[in-house]
Amino acid sequence: MNPEELIRKIEGLKRERNAVILAHSYQVGEVQDIADFVGDSLGLSREAARTDADVIVFAGVNFMAETAAILNPSKTVLIPDIEAGCSLSDTVTAKDVLQWRESHPDGLVVSYVNTTAEVKALSDICVTSANAVKVVRTLDPDRDILFLPDMFLGEYVKEQTGRTMDIWMGECHVHAGIGEKELKEKLDNFPDAEFLIHPECGCGSSCLYLKPDAKVFSTEGMVTYAQRSTTKEFVVATEVGIIHRLNKKTEGKHFIPVKDTAICEYMKMITSEKILRSLESNTFVVEIDDKIASRARRAIDAMLAVA
Ligand code: 13P
Ligand code: SF4
């Protein structure tokens, strides 16, 4: 099928089913281009909470589609490829959280949205990379905190807030691979560029001394900042899918990925063809146990109320 026909079919089915396509900024360009909304985890959660569509096709990974399903129990949430997982969310299980809770009965569990519905259900509040610092600042200073699962984001939040926290030793294989070496190389090659760094990166907190004026942002924060900044050249430390969005949302600017091979294979599993199949055959419906969903919803709503 040629691309025009594919898009026509997707558009037709969207109208027929009152469906909306939500896509994360790490999606391939063609998927970002057919989406109704492209954003970071926070923006996507907000959009999922406010949409009046009957069907949400989630072009992203499982934990994101689960979040949409948790926020929309009466809607059909579809993920075009059920194998689109996340190495970071795989690092922590509900059992791990329960174990920490047993030894910290008054503690607070703060979960990055990159977690399963089961882990969210055992959490007090969720965060995204866009709001983690803000959310943690609102928490009772007398209570212990477990921050999970990303250790680099956790370290960054700890530094910014001055809060003592237990930090789960999880990492995303894509962002953990962006470290001091990659940062140094680009610093030498692009001395006049501004540096935009995602807090999940291995260089996110420990290597910031190399470039103290680097800006630490969620993916959407990078887009908003690049639009406002008068700088023309940016080195971008995150998954490379963001470059398409940055190019689309700005004019006359040059974005250099800090690492060309920073590619999330899970995000790239979603294609336009799979989106069409998803709308045609209702695959794959994201289903979450009601009890888990309602407990997880509390943690997500608590975050949305702060942010
Ligand atoms: P953002 O929330 O900044 O988009 O990052 C989330 C992420 O890493 C998804 O893989
Ligand atoms: Fe998960 Fe990392 Fe892929 Fe994001 S980039 S979905 S954190 S594996």
Side-chain angles (χ1 to χ4, degrees):
M1 196 182 311
N2 67 48
E4 289 78 25
E5 197 181 337
L6 189 70
I7 292 169
R8 238 188 347 267
K9 280 197 164 188
I10 290 173
E11 289 298 337
L13 278 163
K14 264 173 51 187
R15 275 194 300 278
E16 216 174 277
R17 300 197 60 188
N18 187 26
V20 73
I21 301 174
L22 306 185
H24 188 264
S25 328
Y26 298 158
Q27 289 292 296
V28 293
E30 64 172 48
V31 168
Q32 294 191 32
D33 294 345
I34 54 166
D36 297 283
F37 180 88
V38 184
D40 64 357
S41 304
L42 180 61
L44 291 166
S45 303
R46 284 195 179 126
E47 201 54 32
R50 80 163 72 101
T51 183
D52 54 10
D54 296 318
V55 177
I56 299 172
V57 181
F58 210 105
V61 293
N62 270 321
F63 75 82
M64 296 179 171
E66 280 187 358
T67 304
I70 289 163
L71 292 169
N72 291 283
S74 61
K75 292 180 180 160
T76 302
V77 177
L78 302 172
I79 183 149
D81 191 329
I82 199 75
E83 301 295 323
C86 169
S87 62
L88 176 58
S89 75
D90 285 348
T91 64
V92 64
T93 64
K95 197 167 152 220
D96 297 324
V97 182
L98 281 172
Q99 245 166 30
W100 187 86
R101 281 208 176 279
E102 267 167 33
S103 51
H104 301 80
D106 294 323
L108 292 169
V109 176
V110 180
S111 286
Y112 192 29
V113 283
N114 299 39
T115 41
T116 59
E118 288 77 11
V119 168
K120 287 188 180 73
L122 291 167
S123 305
D124 295 283
I125 193 160
C126 287
V127 296
T128 70
S129 54
N131 62 25
V133 170
K134 189 172 174 185
V135 169
V136 168
R137 282 202 176 115
T138 67
L139 302 177
D140 183 345
D142 298 326
R143 294 174 73 181
D144 292 335
I145 293 178
L146 170 63
F147 186 98
L148 62 84
D150 191 79
M151 61 174 155
F152 298 112
L153 176 62
E155 278 306 325
Y156 177 71
V157 172
K158 192 172 161 180
E159 257 174 44
Q160 294 293 308
T161 60
R163 272 302 293 253
T164 311
M165 308 191 295
D166 286 349
I167 297 173
W168 193 255
M169 289 288 110
E171 61 177 32
C172 149
H173 69 298
V174 181
H175 287 91
I178 303 176
E180 191 161 356
K181 177 178 154 285
E182 288 76 15
L183 194 64
K184 266 191 181 144
E185 203 178 285
K186 290 291 188 284
L187 276 168
D188 291 342
N189 293 343
F190 300 95
D192 299 326
E194 278 206 76
F195 277 61
L196 309 179
I197 297 180
H198 195 281
E200 275 180 37
C201 288
C203 58
S205 44
S206 61
C207 319
L208 274 184
Y209 71 93
L210 289 168
K211 180 78 179 159
D213 63 346
K215 307 289 183 305
V216 178
F217 284 128
S218 74
T219 52
E220 198 57 26
M222 291 180 179
V223 176
T224 319
Y225 182 80
Q227 284 173 324
R228 278 200 324 256
S229 168
T230 51
T231 307
K232 296 278 181 238
E233 194 171 62
F234 299 85
V235 172
V236 183
T238 191
E239 209 272 356
V240 295
I242 188 67
I243 303 293
H244 178 80
R245 184 153 165 76
L246 285 163
N247 282 328
K248 219 172 146 176
K249 289 296 207 180
T250 59
E251 257 174 52
K253 305 210 174 193
H254 183 212
F255 300 98
I256 304 121
V258 83
K259 188 178 175 187
D260 292 325
T261 53
I263 297 170
C264 175
E265 61 272 40
Y266 302 113
M267 285 281 179
K268 300 323 188 220
M269 283 178 177
I270 311 296
T271 61
S272 308
E273 285 81 5
K274 287 183 191 172
I275 290 178
L276 176 61
R277 181 188 68 185
S278 185
L279 280 162
E280 281 174 339
S281 56
N282 220 33
T283 48
F284 296 86
V285 178
V286 180
E287 277 171 311
I288 299 162
D289 172 83
D290 284 349
K291 229 156 96 197
I292 289 174
S294 78
R295 279 169 28 198
R297 197 175 309 125
R298 281 200 310 237
I300 299 167
D301 283 344
M303 166 186 84
L304 293 175
V306 173

